[in-house]
Amino acid sequence: MNRVVITGLGIISPLGNSATDVAAALRAGRVAIGALTILPTENLLTKIGAEVKDFDPVTQFSDKQLPLLDRCAQFAVAASRQAVTQSGLDLHALGSRAAAIIGAGVGGMTTLDESYYRVYAQGSKRAHPFTIPKLMISAAMSHITITHGITGPSFTVASACASSNHAIGVAYSMVKSGTVDAAVTGGTEAVFTFGTIKAWEALRVMSTDTCRPFSKNRSGMVLGEGAAIFVLENRDHALARGAEILAEIVGFGMSSDAADIVLPSADGAAAAIRACLDDAGLKPEEVDYINAHGTGTVANDATETKAIRAVFGTHADKLAVSSTKSMHGHLLGGAGAMELAATVIAMQGGFIPPTANYAVPDPDCDLDVVPNEARDQQIGVALSNSFAFGGHNAVLAIRRA
Amino acid sequence: MSSEQDIFEIVAKQAKTDAATLTRATKLADLDLQSIDVVELVFAIEEKFDIEVPYSPSEQNTAGISFQSVGEIIDAIDRLVAEQHPA
């Protein structure tokens, strides 16, 4: 089995459009949740979100490319360019020895929403011919293969809010097994359309003020958008070409609750964390930090606390656990990728990113959640949790390079 | 009234070129238009003239319309407009 390292990281996110900017934001505990500006909110109850700012697609793509790219694909391709450039890897040369495995929740919602508005509300006789190639959930991944000349395995993974962790985990497994030498992986989502926010509101899990994970007065989740994309590489391959290694992926664990379409299960979450530790050959005591799923809903945060206590026992009180969703919002299909990116950045920078907006202790969420301020601390081993609607749990483990 | 000038402009926009460089003899194949670009071109024409164009990459389904040259498009559109919007 090969060891698998991260040699490239690209981010388009509410916390910034580069790993450097995101690192500064995480260290400062900057909350990127604010009033939604990219769509009219007068007929919405939810008027907040974490938007990508200062991203001008016109400067990123040619007028030939752009009409075929939904916002979620724009984020993913732009982030993939950063990651591939940083890695220094010639993916065209690797060809079929490289894979593209990307997570997404729903895909081109902006395109779908605009098309439905056109045909249902405006009564247009015809939809735009690019509607299908833009909205398909795999389109962002397709454009990544086209951009970088990746001719090996390529597909999109969908498991709601665990999509990116599953994608990264599958990419890790493929590099580990030797199916490919490198993989471009991660996740993307662009969720801010009127129809989508209405649908989320109806579920009654949305906060109308901000996201306060693990805090007694938490009021629900806040949506975010963006993409985080990694280059994973066989460690020997990376060392042979003298590439900079950002971190090593050492474990991946999965489980399914087989219980409820929306309610999380502590047993299911704990099973995925245990599976990840087993895959990595890690003892619970070796873990320094967990980037929690931490959505800020009543159900998730108490369940996740229970799961962490079940797996880590007394070590649970020595762990740092934080939810960076408090700053960048919930990227849904892109969440796991954004949070692994935050974890890699924290590991490289020697700090624990905080759980922002924390106000009131909750006895049901009594872990060290690193309230409000980043903490200077070296991280040797970290986990990143994703627990999706439908009970699909996926946990990644990384080790400092 | 012929659709000629409108078609020149729609084709030029799709091909990212100047309408003045186009003639009736210009072949779409020479404008570097991919199949999906031609589909978008047909969409733009349908929107402009409020007609249905029976275009398909499958020759069986195009009702005898050829889209090889700009001139052929103009003739087809004039015919379709006359059929679908009789004065």
Side-chain angles (χ1 to χ4, degrees), chain A residues 73-155:
Chain A
Q74 294 168 20
F75 293 158
V77 173
S80 78
R81 285 182 185 149
Q82 295 174 15
V84 172
T85 300
Q86 182 181 28
S87 77
L89 200 56
D90 184 351
L91 288 166
H92 286 89
L94 266 186
S96 64
R97 294 296 300 162
I101 318 290
I102 303 297
V106 279
M109 287 305 289
T110 311
T111 301
L112 190 60
D113 212 59
E114 281 171 1
S115 182
Y116 281 176
Y117 183 75
R118 188 180 157 86
V119 296
Y120 292 151
Q122 297 183 311
S124 292
K125 288 180 182 166
R126 56 191 71 84
H128 191 280
F130 294 176
T131 306
I132 295 294
K134 281 174 77 177
L135 74 80
M136 57 191 190
I137 191 168
S138 48
M141 179 276 299
S142 306
H143 287 287
I144 286 175
T145 65
I146 293 164
T147 301
H148 303 291
I150 297 167
T151 57
S154 56
F155 51 92

Side-chain angles (χ1 to χ4, degrees), chain A residues 7-369:
Chain A
T7 53
L9 167 59
I11 310 174
I12 302 293
S13 82
L15 291 179
N17 298 333
S18 70
T20 311
D21 287 353
V22 173
L26 288 169
R27 201 184 258 282
R30 183 169 75 76
V31 175
I33 294 165
L36 285 170
T37 62
I38 62 173
L39 76 173
T41 55
E42 61 264 25
N43 293 317
L44 293 170
L45 298 170
T46 306
K47 300 177 190 294
I48 56 167
E51 295 175 347
V52 167
K53 304 278 193 192
D54 305 319
F55 178 79
D56 181 6
V58 173
T59 63
Q60 300 265 339
F61 301 101
S62 72
D63 55 4
K64 191 92 175 159
Q65 292 172 305
L66 193 54
L68 282 158
L69 299 172
D70 182 86
R71 188 166 168 86
C72 75
Q74 294 168 20
F75 293 158
V77 173
S80 78
R81 285 182 185 149
Q82 295 174 15
V84 172
T85 300
Q86 182 181 28
S87 77
L89 200 56
D90 184 351
L91 288 166
H92 286 89
L94 266 186
S96 64
R97 294 296 300 162
I101 318 290
I102 303 297
V106 279
M109 287 305 289
T110 311
T111 301
L112 190 60
D113 212 59
E114 281 171 1
S115 182
Y116 281 176
Y117 183 75
R118 188 180 157 86
V119 296
Y120 292 151
Q122 297 183 311
S124 292
K125 288 180 182 166
R126 56 191 71 84
H128 191 280
F130 294 176
T131 306
I132 295 294
K134 281 174 77 177
L135 74 80
M136 57 191 190
I137 191 168
S138 48
M141 179 276 299
S142 306
H143 287 287
I144 286 175
T145 65
I146 293 164
T147 301
H148 303 291
I150 297 167
T151 57
S154 56
F155 51 92
T156 290
V157 176
S159 53
C161 305
S163 299
S164 322
N165 264 18
H166 276 116
I168 297 163
V170 168
Y172 154 75
S173 301
M174 290 173 74
V175 176
K176 186 178 175 182
S177 70
T179 304
V180 291
D181 297 322
V184 176
T185 186
T188 188
E189 204 84 285
V191 73
F192 292 128
T193 76
F194 186 79
T196 309
I197 294 176
K198 274 282 175 203
W200 275 104
E201 279 177 6
L203 209 49
R204 296 175 190 271
V205 293
M206 303 293 284
S207 172
T208 53
D209 52 5
T210 193
C211 180
R212 295 186 195 84
F214 303 114
S215 188
K216 179 84 177 165
N217 63 343
R218 63 190 179 276
S219 49
M221 53 184 272
V222 174
L223 295 172
E225 62 174 355
I229 303 289
F230 302 84
V231 174
L232 305 192
E233 192 172 348
N234 178 330
R235 183 169 177 270
D236 292 340
H237 192 275
L239 290 175
R241 63 186 188 86
E244 187 197 351
I245 292 170
L246 309 183
E248 178 173 0
I249 302 192
V250 292
F252 175 44
M254 297 178 272
S255 74
S256 306
D257 299 347
D260 192 281
I261 195 67
V262 289
L263 275 181
S265 146
D267 290 345
I273 298 171
R274 279 196 196 96
C276 180
L277 295 176
D278 287 349
D279 182 51
L282 286 169
K283 295 191 196 78
E285 303 77 56
E286 292 178 82
V287 177
D288 302 308
Y289 169 61
I290 300 177
N291 187 301
H293 189 56
T295 55
T297 61
V298 172
N300 175 82
D301 298 357
T303 305
E304 187 165 10
T305 302
K306 208 177 285 179
I308 290 170
R309 287 209 169 278
V311 175
F312 290 93
T314 55
H315 186 64
D317 290 313
K318 297 178 189 133
L319 275 171
V321 179
S322 70
S323 169
T324 50
K325 284 189 180 77
S326 58
M327 294 176 273
H328 53 63
H330 194 336
L331 270 63
L332 306 175
M338 182 66 208
E339 289 152 32
L340 186 69
T343 308
V344 169
I345 286 167
M347 188 173 268
Q348 287 190 293
F351 71 98
I352 311 264
T355 300
N357 307 316
Y358 185 85
V360 185
D362 179 348
D364 291 333
C365 305
D366 56 350
L367 298 164
D368 170 13
V369 300

Side-chain angles (χ1 to χ4, degrees), chain B residues 20-58:
Chain B
T21 65
L22 300 176
T23 69
R24 288 182 61 96
T26 306
K27 304 274 190 212
L28 292 195
D30 296 331
L31 292 174
D32 192 29
L33 293 175
Q34 312 299 316
S35 70
I36 195 162
D37 300 321
V38 178
V39 171
E40 193 183 30
L41 171 67
V42 173
F43 167 78
I45 290 169
E46 288 182 321
E47 289 286 285
K48 173 73 187 175
F49 297 99
D50 189 24
I51 54 172
E52 295 298 323
V53 179
Y55 172 82
S56 163
S58 159

